[in-house]
């Protein structure tokens, strides 16, 4: 690779080619990122083969060029006819070839002007380009047009991560993208913390259409005084829409673009609220039911949870609900209710209300568990089946005491009670053809049916 596609480093191709030539080894270089940006002379480089990507020169995608030094023999890419001087069978696209040639004509003008490095983002984006960090200046051996940023926050600062900066740069109509950690930065030994704050942007322009952003090859610093334009009510809307989307599509199939489309906002805007899909799911689990106060603008975007953090929160929430659950207290003997009908009513009503007030988080977990193995393990082991086991023990004990009717399969009865409660307290709210009944009426009717179905006939 002549010039690295992320950090712009120009490799010593001529020196490497000389070593290869001394040992009789053919040498190829990928010059996709250098042709048209810096002088690229095959004789000066001493390479045997050099490839060019047309779309890097503003030609249409799907066209490129391969330089083959006279006397170099290579195996044809496609066998058959003799097109491309026998190197690739198939009729050539004249349109693409002409387009590539036309774009190539602009290249000499661009690198003769010298590197245009660096210029501020327009429109007061709050982005400053100081001394480069893991990237290189053109004078240090890097292409001016490359724009892999290392985004650094000052110490003790709560500035945004790479995805937040991406959303701001998107609003300026500058193409950019953010990844977890760039393999290039990882190979360079950049720490994970800094690598995750990387922001890669593309900022190039032809000479006849100058742009102010060009060749950003340094680090990006965030200034805490930057104004945030985040409507205070939108976080709640985001959580609501994200919850519906995750429930409807499942964790694996849900994409950030699905949520953005449902909100009628740009996908990049989402990254002003959450750093990633993982952070969005975590926010939905935490905030959908309204038990926690929404974060204020200064806390946004919500960071990507660490491994196991969302699962730990679900475990803590389940444990908190179980701590004072009536069913747990009765089975453990810490609560005694002598009247059978009252006991059953108290137990089942408590279960119903707990499911109802946590129905969004429970539905999220239940729906996405299949795509989220760690979540499935805790949900089924410590959630549903734990309650099933306790309820089965209660039914068996009360049947033995003749306080409820004897049943041949207490496990089936316990599952039926739980599933009936789960449907009316939770699942019916997501039914595509729901029955119009208020929560109080539904709870009363369901509990009455279940209790009377278990009591001994008088």
């Amino acid at each position: 690779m002549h010039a690295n596609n992320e950090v712009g480093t120009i490799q010593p191709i001529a020196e490497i080619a000389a070593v290869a030539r001394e040992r009789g080894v053919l040498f190829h270089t990928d010059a996709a990122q250098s042709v048209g940006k810096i002088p690229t002379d095959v004789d000066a480089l001493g390479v045997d083969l050099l490839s060019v990507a047309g779309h890097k020169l503003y030609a249409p995608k799907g066209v490129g060029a391969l330089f083959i030094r006279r006397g170099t023999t290579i195996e044809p890419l496609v066998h058959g006819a003799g097109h491309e001087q026998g190197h690739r069978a198939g009729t050539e696209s004249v349109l693409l070839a002409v387009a590539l040639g036309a774009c190539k004509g602009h290249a000499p003008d661009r690198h003769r002007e010298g590197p245009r490095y660096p210029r501020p983002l327009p429109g007061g984006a709050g982005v400053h380009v100081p001394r480069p960090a893991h990237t290189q200046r053109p004078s240090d051996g890097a292409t001016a047009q490359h724009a892999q940023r290392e985004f650094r926050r000052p110490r003790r600062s709560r500035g945004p991560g790479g995805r937040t900066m991406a959303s701001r740069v998107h609003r300026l109509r500058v193409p950019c993208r953010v990844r977890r950690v760039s393999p290039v930065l990882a190979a360079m030994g950049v720490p994970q913390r800094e690598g995750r704050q990387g922001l890669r942007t593309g900022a190039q322009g032809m000479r006849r259409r100058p742009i102010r952003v060009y060749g950003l090859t340094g680090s990006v610093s965030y200034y805490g005084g930057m104004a945030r334009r985040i409507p205070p009510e939108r976080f709640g809307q985001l959580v609501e829409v994200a919850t519906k989307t995750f429930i409807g599509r499942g964790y694996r199939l849900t994409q950030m673009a699905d949520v953005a489309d449902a909100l009628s906002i740009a996908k990049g805007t989402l990254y002003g609220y959450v750093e990633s899909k993982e952070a969005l799911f975590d926010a939905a689990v935490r905030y959908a039911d309204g038990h926690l106060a929404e974060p204020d603008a200064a806390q946004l975007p919500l960071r990507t949870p660490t491994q196991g953090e969302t699962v730990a929160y679900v475990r803590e929430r389940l444990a908190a609900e179980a701590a004072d659950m009536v069913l747990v207290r009765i089975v453990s003997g810490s609560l005694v209710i002598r009247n059978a009908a009252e006991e059953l009513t108290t137990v089942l009503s408590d279960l119903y209300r707990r499911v109802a007030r946590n129905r969004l988080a429970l539905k999220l977990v239940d729906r996405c568990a299949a795509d989220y193995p760690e979540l499935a393990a805790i949900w089924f082991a410590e959630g549903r089946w734990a309650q099933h086991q306790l309820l089965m023990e209660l039914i068996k004990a009360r049947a033995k005491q003749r306080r409820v009717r004897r049943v041949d399969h207490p496990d089936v009865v316990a599952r039926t009670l739980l599933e009936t409660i789960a449907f009316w307290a939770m699942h019916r709210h997501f039914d595509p053809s729901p029955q119009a009944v208020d929560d109080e009426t539904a709870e009363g009717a369901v509990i009455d049916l279940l209790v009377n179905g278990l009591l001994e006939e008088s």
Side-chain angles (χ1 to χ4, degrees), residues 154-418:
R155 292 182 180 180
R156 302 178 183 175
S157 168
R158 294 186 60 84
R163 291 192 182 276
T164 304
M165 188 58 68
S167 69
R168 289 173 182 154
V169 176
H170 267 304
R171 287 198 287 268
L172 299 173
R173 296 178 181 172
V174 178
C176 64
R177 62 192 174 104
V178 177
R179 308 191 234 190
R180 284 287 187 85
V181 177
S182 160
V184 173
L185 295 182
M188 293 168 63
V190 177
Q192 289 279 322
R193 180 181 177 83
E194 295 181 14
R196 287 180 61 194
Q197 295 170 350
L199 173 64
R200 181 182 179 187
T201 65
Q204 300 181 9
M206 300 301 272
R207 196 163 71 104
R208 296 180 183 178
R209 189 182 178 187
I211 56 176
R212 294 178 62 195
V213 185
Y214 200 96
L216 299 176
T217 322
S219 62
V220 178
S221 293
Y222 166 71
Y223 293 89
M226 187 193 311
R228 291 177 179 271
R229 296 183 295 275
I230 297 178
E233 73 282 357
R234 184 171 284 172
F235 183 81
Q237 296 171 1
L238 171 61
V239 169
E240 180 183 355
V241 171
T243 301
K244 291 180 179 178
T245 307
F246 278 118
I247 290 173
R249 296 178 60 83
Y251 183 82
R252 183 175 60 85
L253 294 179
T254 294
Q255 302 296 325
M256 296 288 275
D258 300 326
V259 179
D261 291 344
L263 283 167
S264 298
I265 61 176
K267 176 183 171 183
T269 303
L270 288 185
Y271 295 116
Y273 297 87
V274 292
E275 284 187 349
S276 62
K277 174 181 167 180
E278 294 84 354
L280 183 60
F281 180 75
D282 185 82
V285 171
R286 292 174 187 268
Y287 298 104
D289 288 305
H291 300 327
L292 298 178
E294 294 180 0
D296 57 38
Q299 296 173 288
L300 301 178
L302 298 180
R303 62 178 177 77
T304 300
T306 58
Q307 185 174 4
E309 188 175 348
T310 303
V311 173
Y313 171 76
V314 173
R315 177 180 283 113
E316 292 170 5
R317 190 158 163 181
L318 288 173
E321 287 290 340
D324 63 344
M325 188 179 291
V326 172
L327 176 60
V328 173
R329 294 164 61 197
I330 286 180
V331 172
S332 67
S334 63
L335 176 63
V336 177
I337 301 177
R338 300 296 181 187
N339 183 276
E342 182 183 351
E343 181 184 61
L344 284 173
T345 299
T346 305
V347 167
L348 298 179
S349 294
D350 181 62
L351 284 172
Y352 191 103
R353 290 165 189 169
R354 290 177 187 276
V355 173
R357 70 170 174 252
N358 294 287
R359 64 171 170 251
L360 293 175
L362 290 175
K363 185 69 175 180
L364 267 172
V365 172
D366 189 67
R367 176 67 176 86
C368 297
D371 300 332
Y372 206 138
E374 299 87 351
L375 201 58
I378 181 176
W379 170 234
F380 293 119
E382 302 176 31
R384 291 177 57 180
W385 291 115
Q387 295 175 12
H388 176 268
Q389 182 65 31
L390 290 171
L391 198 53
M392 185 172 64
E393 290 179 19
L394 179 64
I395 293 170
K396 290 166 66 175
R398 296 302 179 257
K400 189 175 182 179
Q401 299 167 358
R402 296 184 178 277
R403 295 175 63 180
V404 301
R405 66 172 63 204
R406 285 183 175 276
V407 293
D408 294 331
H409 301 284
D411 56 334
V412 175
V413 174
R415 180 69 181 272
T416 301
L417 294 175
L418 287 176

Side-chain angles (χ1 to χ4, degrees), residues 86-104:
H87 294 119
R88 185 185 187 280
T91 303
E92 302 96 333
S93 171
V94 176
L95 178 65
L96 293 178
V98 170
L100 176 59
C103 291
K104 182 180 178 296

Side-chain angles (χ1 to χ4, degrees), residues 1-3 10-31 34 40-51 66-74:
M1 182 178 286
H2 190 191
I10 300 172
Q11 301 295 344
I13 298 300
E15 289 86 341
I16 299 173
V19 172
R21 188 166 51 253
E22 288 175 1
R23 289 160 176 76
V25 177
L26 292 178
F27 188 77
H28 164 265
T29 186
D30 176 355
S34 56
T40 307
D41 186 319
V42 292
D43 290 328
L45 293 175
V47 297
D48 300 295
L49 303 112
L50 181 145
S51 53
L66 176 66
F67 163 78
I68 305 175
R69 187 171 294 281
R70 191 181 302 279
T72 301
T73 303
I74 62 173

Side-chain angles (χ1 to χ4, degrees), residues 35-37 56-58 106-116 145 204-207 214:
V35 171
K37 303 179 181 73
K56 296 298 183 180
L57 298 169
Y58 294 95
H106 292 277
D109 291 337
R110 296 176 63 194
H111 64 65
R112 272 203 303 266
E113 293 171 356
R116 289 179 280 182
Q145 287 78 9
Q204 300 181 9
M206 300 301 272
R207 196 163 71 104
Y214 200 96

